[in-house]
Amino acid sequence: MASALFWIVLFSPTVLSFVVIVSPRKGFFRVGDQERVVCNVTGCAQTPDITWGALEDKPIAASIETLGSESVITYKNVKRNDENRLVCKAKCGGEQWKQGEITVKVYEFPEVPVITGHERLVLGEPATLTCNVSGVYPGQETEMEWLTDGKTASDPVEGTGNTLVSSFPLTPTHADEGRNITCRAWHRMWGGEKSVIQTSVTLSVLYGPGEVQVSGAAEVQVGDTLSLRCSAEGRPRPQLRWRIQRLSSQWAELEGGQELVVATATHAHAGQYQCVASNTLGESHACLNVSVQGPPRNTSLTLSPPHPIREGESVTLSCRTLSVPVGKVRLLHGEKELRSAVGSEVDITLDDIKLDQAGRYHCEALNRYGTHTNSTQLTVTAHPLQLELLPVGVVTTEIGSALSLVCEASGCPHPQLSWATPSSGVEGATRDSANSPRSELSLRLDSIAQEGNYTCLARCGSVTTSRHTQVALFSFPTAPLVERSGSLLEGEQSTFRCVLRDAYPREAFLFRWLLGDLELTTQTPAETTPAFESSVSVTMEQSLRGRPLTCEAELLMGGVPDVRRRSSIAIIMDVHHPPRNTSLTLSPPHPIREGESVTLSCRTLSVPVGTVRLLHGEKELRSAVGSEVDITLPAAQLDQAGHYHCEASNQYGTHTNSTQLTVTAPPRNTTVEVFPSQRVMEGENITICCHSVSFPPPLVTLTKLGNATEFSSHNGTFVLTNLTPSDTGDYQVNVTNDLGFHTQVFTISVMERSSVPSDGWEALLIPAVVIGSTLASAALLLDFVLRSRKKGSYKLAKCNSSSA
Ligand SMILES: *[C@@H]1O[C@H](CO)[C@@H](O)[C@H](O)[C@H]1NC(C)=O
Ligand SMILES: *[C@@H]1O[C@H](CO)[C@@H](O)[C@H](O)[C@H]1NC(C)=O
Ligand SMILES: *[C@@H]1O[C@H](CO)[C@@H](O)[C@H](O)[C@H]1NC(C)=O
Ligand SMILES: *[C@@H]1O[C@H](CO)[C@@H](O)[C@H](O)[C@H]1NC(C)=O
Ligand SMILES: *[C@@H]1O[C@H](CO)[C@@H](O)[C@H](O)[C@H]1NC(C)=O
Ligand SMILES: *[C@@H]1O[C@H](CO)[C@@H](O)[C@H](O)[C@H]1NC(C)=O
Ligand SMILES: *[C@@H]1O[C@H](CO)[C@@H](O)[C@H](O)[C@H]1NC(C)=O
Ligand SMILES: *[C@@H]1O[C@H](CO)[C@@H](O)[C@H](O)[C@H]1NC(C)=O
Ligand SMILES: *[C@@H]1O[C@H](CO)[C@@H](O)[C@H](O)[C@H]1NC(C)=O
Ligand SMILES: *[C@@H]1O[C@H](CO)[C@@H](O)[C@H](O)[C@H]1NC(C)=O
Ligand SMILES: *[C@@H]1O[C@H](CO)[C@@H](O)[C@H](O)[C@H]1NC(C)=O
Ligand SMILES: *[C@@H]1O[C@H](CO)[C@@H](O)[C@H](O)[C@H]1NC(C)=O
């Protein structure tokens, strides 16, 4: 190798007594190392003076230590800048300076070349290894090479400056596994062991797991040990794990590596086992189906439908088992085998089931390991036949009405319905359709023979049932009638009979008699076919009059509508009596003036009504059938005054009342009669009769005109006695009553005795009265006779009769 050598040039004169030696001879230092340069003075008896100097213009960056005849320069950490030429000078006593010299050269290598690209070599995938040598100093002098299997496999070295790179292409095969490959570099100039650096790597070729192998027993018996093994190649070494899939459900992870051991196998351990091998380059797996064998289990026997079955329906019995290995299943009813099959299931369908097919059914599963049985109870129920009859109970209905009975069965798919009726030959049972669960019986209830129970009968398989409706009839077509016998006259007894026709049933009826609100009696009816009746006797009293006597017939039978339950008739009690309380009233009631209007009203109480007559005196003014009669006098006259009678009569008698009609009028139509004459002889008496129409009776005054003396009379008669000629003059009568007055003036002439014959005077003066006598004595002479019945005016009877 062309490694350079440095040497120290020694200056050694022959006579010299001491020597300066600088070691090492060659200062060939590697950057980073610790190096020493020693200057040793030998042959000097005393302690020499030693100094160091640098020939290049650089300071010495190192520690210098001088001890005795030795001086040491120590480079703790060699740097490229430490390249220099060093001189060690020494002087021993008086001798000449001597010196030694060393040229320090510096080189640099990294610790080792760095090989990359070998970390992940995959089988068959081309790869390139790269070797880097960096920090090379001085670079131009460095070489690199690859060594493998002891052979050199140089490749072009690239690199500039301080870094060298060489690459090594490679497609890994299994043969490359474990192969050593080395990259080395050295200094061409200096050679020597120290200048060669190298790095070796051992190749490792990676590959994914290939075929996975699972081994073990695929069939184990319950309780045995299940042991499975798994193996797979690959680098890195594949990891092994186990999974199981039971009955095509999800995969479940298991514990285990190369070996999977289940100490005691159960059915739960059956399934598809999978060993999965995986490394960084991939994964692969293998499966093994393991069956765990044992006696049959989970044997079940199910019914479809599951609930209790009705007679006539069908049911399917399904027997299922889990059996590994597959064996045989048998379906039994009690001891009797119904069906058997090889496999794990057997079904049987029982149609139109009968009650005696109920009971316990067994499913028996067997294989070479054993037997397993399950059983179930088949319940067959009779049909819950329900019958509904509407209306139900007691139906009360009126004779002649229609009734519809509807019978409806439930709980049975095909019921048979029929009817039983009290009288044969009832028509009208209809069914909605042949198999309908509904039947309707339409009845026209015309006869009491149809009363009784109507029964609807239903049959369903082995079940029968019935419902009945009791029909009760009634008839209450009319209201009762009341008939009477006996007198209606007060105080006598009358009998009332209440009769109800065409009613039924008698025993359900009740008659109730009411007088007003008072209940008289309640009776069950007596039968007088075809009617029922009841009677009551009543003593006729006035207080009963106008009160209702009610006969109520009540039908006391359940189910009769309220409106049909009662019927009644009321008669108003008519108590007869003769007329009474007859009255005759005037309107207005007070005396009236002539010409005013007055109404006479005649009223009576009479049962029954008879006739009323209104009479004025003996004269009938008006009569009427009834209890009243009125008459109005639009302009009453004095002669209409007087007594009026109201006469009421009926079959039982007559009753009369009367009243006085008073008509007033001021005096009028006054006439004066003078008896015997207005011309009399002296000494004679004169009677003056005043007539006036007037009511109330007037006061009549007589005055001689020119003489204040006044005579008054209530009856209008004045007697002037023993007249003298001085009595000759004009006289005035003033007829006065409350309503007014009326006067008449007349003349009396009294002649002297000699001039008049005396015959007539005596005769004429017989009834006269002496003027001036008391009023009482005058009343004896004058007489007012009330003749209101005929004329309604007062007259002087005597005067009249005298004058007539
Ligand atoms: C210095 O030189 C003497 C004599 O040659 C020798 O004995 C001694 O070992 C040397 N010392 C060193 C450090 O080389
Ligand atoms: C090797 O050298 C190349 C080129 O100089 C450089 O790109 C690469 O990073 C180096 N690799 C290492 C590991 O030093
Ligand atoms: C590779 O080198 C290692 C040590 O560096 C050694 O133990 C091994 O035997 C070598 N391999 C081969 C195939 O030479
Ligand atoms: C294992 O059983 C499964 C079904 O459970 C089936 O798909 C698969 O093919 C079986 N594997 C083997 C190896 O028999
Ligand atoms: C019978 O089957 C039923 C329903 O499948 C199950 O609940 C019951 O445990 C079984 N009985 C036996 C003895 O296996
Ligand atoms: C009808 O049925 C009832 C029971 O609800 C019974 O008392 C009655 O005697 C029966 N009538 C007839 C006519 O059968
Ligand atoms: C006549 O009628 C009156 C009044 O109505 C009455 O007061 C009187 O008693 C009756 N007389 C008779 C006899 O009824
Ligand atoms: C009163 O006199 C008039 C005529 O002067 C006569 O029409 C009438 O009838 C008289 N009345 C009576 C009640 O005499
Ligand atoms: C009036 O009449 C009375 C009786 O007739 C008589 O006594 C009286 O003298 C008369 N007086 C005069 C003034 O005539
Ligand atoms: C008649 O008598 C009345 C009542 O006394 C009286 O008011 C009236 O003036 C008299 N008439 C004459 C004409 O004297
Ligand atoms: C007149 O009346 C008186 C008694 O009242 C009587 O005495 C006398 O005789 C009467 N004169 C004549 C003429 O009748
Ligand atoms: C008239 O009245 C007087 C008393 O006032 C009486 O004496 C006389 O008898 C009466 N005359 C008649 C006819 O009633």
Side-chain angles (χ1 to χ4, degrees):
M1 264 334 278
S3 54
L5 288 177
F6 294 83
W7 62 93
I8 294 172
V9 181
L10 297 173
F11 184 73
S12 53
T14 49
V15 291
L16 292 182
S17 54
F18 72 97
V19 179
V20 177
I21 300 167
V22 179
S23 65
R25 286 180 174 183
K26 300 173 192 172
F28 194 44
F29 297 165
R30 189 164 144 176
V31 172
D33 286 356
Q34 179 173 328
E35 295 286 356
R36 282 157 40 111
V37 175
V38 179
C39 182
N40 194 3
V41 179
T42 53
C44 182
Q46 56 195 85
T47 302
D49 293 336
I50 304 173
T51 61
W52 289 87
L55 296 182
E56 287 177 20
D57 189 15
K58 282 192 268 186
I60 302 168
S63 66
I64 300 172
E65 234 181 311
T66 305
L67 192 63
S69 60
E70 218 175 71
S71 181
V72 179
I73 293 178
T74 305
Y75 292 93
K76 283 210 170 119
N77 183 4
V78 176
K79 309 234 175 359
R80 286 190 187 175
N81 202 34
D82 290 336
E83 283 197 343
N84 215 333
R85 279 171 62 207
L86 305 177
V87 178
C88 176
K89 291 182 183 171
K91 184 173 180 282
C92 182
E95 290 189 42
Q96 287 287 314
W97 287 88
K98 292 183 182 173
Q99 65 179 27
E101 197 183 290
I102 181 169
T103 301
V104 175
K105 289 282 182 182
V106 175
Y107 75 97
E108 194 176 345
F109 267 164
E111 280 291 327
V112 288
V114 177
I115 298 174
T116 57
H118 66 288
E119 301 87 351
R120 194 172 185 280
L121 294 174
V122 178
L123 185 70
E125 284 182 17
T128 301
L129 306 186
T130 304
C131 182
N132 273 23
V133 185
S134 58
V136 178
Y137 178 83
Q140 313 84 292
E141 302 297 330
T142 308
E143 290 201 17
M144 285 180 77
E145 67 178 5
W146 292 90
L147 285 169
T148 175
D149 299 335
K151 290 181 283 184
T152 310
S154 273
D155 272 285
V157 175
E158 295 165 13
T160 50
N162 295 330
T163 303
L164 298 176
V165 180
S166 178
S167 55
F168 186 82
L170 177 72
T171 298
T173 64
H174 278 301
D176 290 325
E177 179 63 33
R179 188 171 153 199
N180 286 342
I181 188 159
T182 303
C183 173
R184 62 200 266 192
W186 68 93
H187 274 287
R188 196 184 302 133
M189 254 174 73
W190 293 318
E193 201 166 297
K194 217 181 171 190
S195 69
V196 177
I197 57 168
Q198 67 177 37
T199 297
S200 290
V201 292
T202 304
L203 299 186
S204 178
V205 179
L206 306 180
Y207 57 97
E211 194 185 349
V212 180
Q213 287 188 331
V214 175
S215 60
E219 285 181 6
V220 291
Q221 223 176 309
V222 172
D224 287 358
T225 298
L226 169 64
S227 172
L228 301 179
R229 280 165 304 283
C230 181
S231 62
E233 299 257 323
R235 188 168 295 111
R237 189 184 182 79
Q239 287 202 320
L240 301 177
R241 59 198 165 89
W242 291 90
R243 308 200 293 171
I244 185 171
Q245 188 186 37
R246 297 182 185 90
L247 297 169
S248 69
S249 61
Q250 296 283 321
W251 286 101
E253 300 294 327
L254 296 173
E255 294 287 330
Q258 281 185 313
E259 198 168 18
L260 177 79
V261 178
V262 176
T264 309
T266 67
H267 289 290
H269 295 115
Q272 181 172 203
Y273 284 81
Q274 189 179 59
C275 175
V276 180
S278 60
N279 67 7
T280 52
L281 292 176
E283 71 171 44
S284 55
H285 60 257
C287 292
L288 178 66
N289 285 353
V290 173
S291 76
V292 179
Q293 302 196 333
R297 66 207 157 90
N298 287 14
T299 308
S300 69
L301 181 54
T302 55
L303 298 175
S304 171
H307 46 76
I309 314 300
R310 302 238 180 273
E311 195 180 2
E313 290 180 347
S314 67
V315 63
T316 299
L317 293 109
S318 301
C319 178
R320 299 280 179 277
T321 191
L322 275 178
S323 174
V324 182
V326 168
K328 190 177 165 189
V329 277
R330 299 170 70 212
L331 189 59
L332 301 105
H333 181 209
E335 299 295 309
K336 183 181 152 208
E337 179 176 299
L338 298 178
R339 187 164 291 181
S340 74
V342 172
S344 58
E345 56 186 73
V346 65
D347 290 354
I348 191 166
T349 297
L350 306 174
D351 288 317
D352 187 18
I353 205 147
K354 302 284 184 292
L355 287 177
D356 61 5
Q357 286 180 291
R360 202 123 204 117
Y361 283 76
H362 299 273
C363 174
E364 185 184 277
L366 34 101
N367 67 12
R368 70 178 120 107
Y369 294 102
T371 305
H372 187 237
T373 304
N374 204 334
S375 66
T376 193
Q377 182 75 31
L378 173 63
T379 307
V380 180
T381 58
H383 283 284
L385 178 60
Q386 298 276 329
L387 199 55
E388 194 175 19
L389 178 57
L390 281 177
V392 76
V394 178
V395 172
T396 305
T397 190
E398 193 162 8
I399 293 176
S401 62
L403 177 66
S404 185
L405 296 171
V406 176
C407 184
E408 195 156 357
S410 58
C412 180
H414 305 298
Q416 293 163 276
L417 297 178
S418 62
W419 292 92
T421 61
S423 57
S424 59
V426 172
E427 300 289 328
T430 59
R431 298 195 66 172
D432 292 358
S433 68
N435 277 332
S436 165
R438 186 175 182 278
S439 176
E440 182 168 347
L441 184 66
S442 296
L443 300 169
R444 170 116 227 132
L445 298 164
D446 292 324
S447 154
I448 58 172
Q450 289 172 300
E451 265 194 327
N453 289 339
Y454 287 79
T455 306
C456 176
L457 299 150
R459 170 180 289 277
C460 183
S462 59
V463 185
T464 59
T465 189
S466 69
R467 287 280 178 282
H468 75 261
T469 293
Q470 187 178 348
V471 173
L473 293 176
F474 74 91
S475 174
F476 194 179
T478 58
L481 290 174
V482 171
E483 295 166 8
R484 182 189 59 83
S485 58
S487 170
L488 284 177
L489 192 56
E490 274 182 280
E492 301 198 2
Q493 270 220 336
S494 243
T495 299
F496 295 88
R497 231 174 111 235
C498 188
V499 179
L500 183 63
R501 296 189 185 280
D502 300 325
Y504 176 84
R506 185 176 65 86
E507 58 278 5
F509 278 90
L510 195 68
F511 283 107
R512 185 177 292 116
W513 288 95
L514 297 152
L515 186 57
D517 294 332
L518 176 75
E519 187 174 304
L520 295 180
T521 179
T522 301
Q523 297 175 351
T524 48
E527 185 147 24
T528 56
T529 310
F532 313 146
E533 66 173 56
S534 168
S535 55
V536 71
S537 288
V538 177
T539 301
M540 303 309 281
E541 287 166 19
Q542 189 53 37
S543 61
L544 301 181
R545 208 173 153 245
R547 290 176 67 184
L549 177 67
T550 307
C551 171
E552 181 181 273
E554 185 174 5
L555 177 53
L556 297 171
M557 193 172 180
V560 175
D562 280 351
V563 290
R564 306 284 293 119
R565 197 174 274 280
R566 283 186 189 83
S567 183
S568 65
I569 185 161
I571 56 161
I572 301 301
M573 291 290 271
D574 195 14
V575 180
H576 287 187
H577 60 77
R580 62 185 173 217
N581 290 9
T582 308
S583 70
L584 182 56
T585 56
L586 297 174
S587 173
H590 46 76
I592 57 158
R593 287 184 72 149
E594 189 179 30
E596 287 182 346
S597 159
V598 64
T599 299
L600 292 107
S601 301
C602 179
R603 298 283 180 273
T604 190
L605 282 177
S606 167
V607 185
V609 289
T611 53
V612 276
R613 298 168 71 214
L614 188 60
L615 301 107
H616 186 207
E618 298 297 312
K619 183 181 156 203
E620 179 177 301
L621 297 178
R622 187 165 289 181
S623 79
V625 173
S627 60
E628 57 186 67
V629 66
D630 291 353
I631 191 164
T632 298
L633 306 176
Q637 297 303 312
L638 281 177
D639 62 359
Q640 290 178 309
H643 264 82
Y644 284 76
H645 299 275
C646 177
E647 184 186 277
S649 56
N650 71 4
Q651 67 204 78
Y652 300 106
T654 301
H655 187 238
T656 304
N657 204 336
S658 63
T659 195
Q660 179 78 34
L661 174 63
T662 305
V663 180
T664 63
R668 60 183 160 88
N669 286 21
T670 306
T671 59
V672 178
E673 290 172 293
V674 181
F675 299 103
S677 167
Q678 285 174 266
R679 294 173 61 88
V680 291
M681 294 303 288
E682 181 179 16
E684 289 191 74
N685 299 341
I686 278 182
T687 299
I688 300 165
C689 292
C690 285
H691 304 275
S692 189
V693 176
S694 164
F695 193 84
L699 179 70
V700 184
T701 59
L702 176 70
T703 53
K704 186 182 180 205
L705 295 178
N707 188 330
T709 308
E710 186 181 89
F711 303 96
S712 52
S713 162
H714 282 283
N715 53 19
T717 301
F718 301 92
V719 177
L720 304 180
T721 57
N722 202 16
L723 295 173
T724 65
S726 63
D727 291 323
T728 300
D730 289 335
Y731 288 80
Q732 176 184 272
V733 287
N734 187 350
V735 184
T736 307
N737 71 5
D738 295 344
L739 304 174
F741 63 89
H742 194 225
T743 58
Q744 284 288 353
V745 175
F746 61 96
T747 306
I748 290 176
S749 302
V750 180
M751 290 171 292
E752 284 183 37
R753 188 98 241 15
S754 55
S755 58
V756 195
S758 61
D759 278 2
W761 284 100
E762 278 131 25
L764 283 170
L765 281 174
I766 289 167
V769 117
V770 180
I771 293 177
S773 63
T774 65
L775 283 172
S777 60
L780 295 170
L781 297 174
L782 297 171
D783 185 20
F784 277 87
V785 176
L786 179 64
R787 290 179 178 274
S788 58
R789 280 186 196 172
K790 285 194 174 169
K791 297 189 177 169
S793 65
Y794 295 91
K795 295 240 166 150
L796 293 171
K798 235 166 205 169
C799 289
N800 267 351
S801 58
S802 313
S803 64

